[in-house]
Amino acid sequence: MPLTDEEMMAGARERAEAVRITLEAEGIQADLYVGIEGGLHTMNLNGVKLAFLRGWVYATDGRRGFFGASPSVLVPDILARRVVDEAVELGDIIDDFAGQADVRSRQGAWGIFSRDLLTRSMSFEAALIAAFAPFYNVQLYMQES
């Protein structure tokens, strides 16, 4: 599981580029190719270890690419320690923590942490919209400085 924004961003870009390469090898063109990566962003703030669940999206048309990020939510320390110190995937432990089955495929850890006010899908929707912004707002993002 990625533990920094940089790792998540690299993973999202690699996924988008892999989709682009695979489709183009099959003679299939798309307007946009998208990669999604989630993980924890870990940091120390005033000597306190913090871990935030977040996701990144990378969208590319094959020439230009842009990132978008999901919101962030603090991961409870008991879970963050297992993910960071023991290298356990959050998806592998969230079911036991929540007392539910297959959380990953439903509301995700986001849903558990926010009492379903924001789900995994919703968090990635925000990141996707952010990554698409330069493509649907070309006049603003493609201006010369």
Side-chain angles (χ1 to χ4, degrees):
M1 173 171 255
L3 298 177
T4 65
D5 281 335
E6 291 82 2
E7 290 175 5
M8 285 180 271
M9 293 170 80
R13 178 183 278 157
E14 289 169 13
R15 289 173 189 262
E17 291 298 334
V19 168
R20 183 185 62 76
I21 290 166
T22 299
L23 290 177
E24 288 179 355
E26 296 175 12
I28 301 170
Q29 292 288 320
D31 292 332
L32 293 174
Y33 307 90
V34 174
I36 297 173
E37 184 70 71
L40 299 187
H41 178 72
T42 56
M43 60 187 295
N44 283 302
L45 182 62
N46 299 324
V48 177
K49 289 183 180 182
L50 300 171
F52 294 91
L53 178 62
R54 69 171 67 154
W56 283 90
V57 170
Y58 182 77
T60 180
D61 61 5
R63 295 181 316 274
R64 300 163 297 155
F66 302 97
F67 289 99
S70 74
S72 299
V73 64
L74 183 66
V75 176
D77 191 53
I78 192 168
L79 295 176
R81 279 187 275 126
R82 292 209 51 211
V83 172
V84 174
D85 298 340
E86 300 173 27
V88 178
E89 291 279 333
L90 181 59
D92 293 339
I93 58 176
I94 195 69
D95 288 356
D96 287 337
F97 177 77
Q100 298 180 26
D102 201 22
V103 168
R104 177 189 309 207
S105 298
R106 297 181 305 115
Q107 76 271 41
W110 263 103
I112 298 301
F113 299 153
S114 72
R115 289 189 159 177
D116 290 326
L117 293 173
L118 191 66
T119 65
R120 179 179 191 267
S121 295
M122 293 163 70
S123 74
F124 278 117
E125 286 171 16
L128 191 61
I129 291 167
F132 283 176
F135 293 106
Y136 62 73
N137 199 351
V138 174
Q139 295 295 344
L140 180 62
Y141 284 89
M142 300 306 164
Q143 289 183 22
E144 296 292 325
S145 46

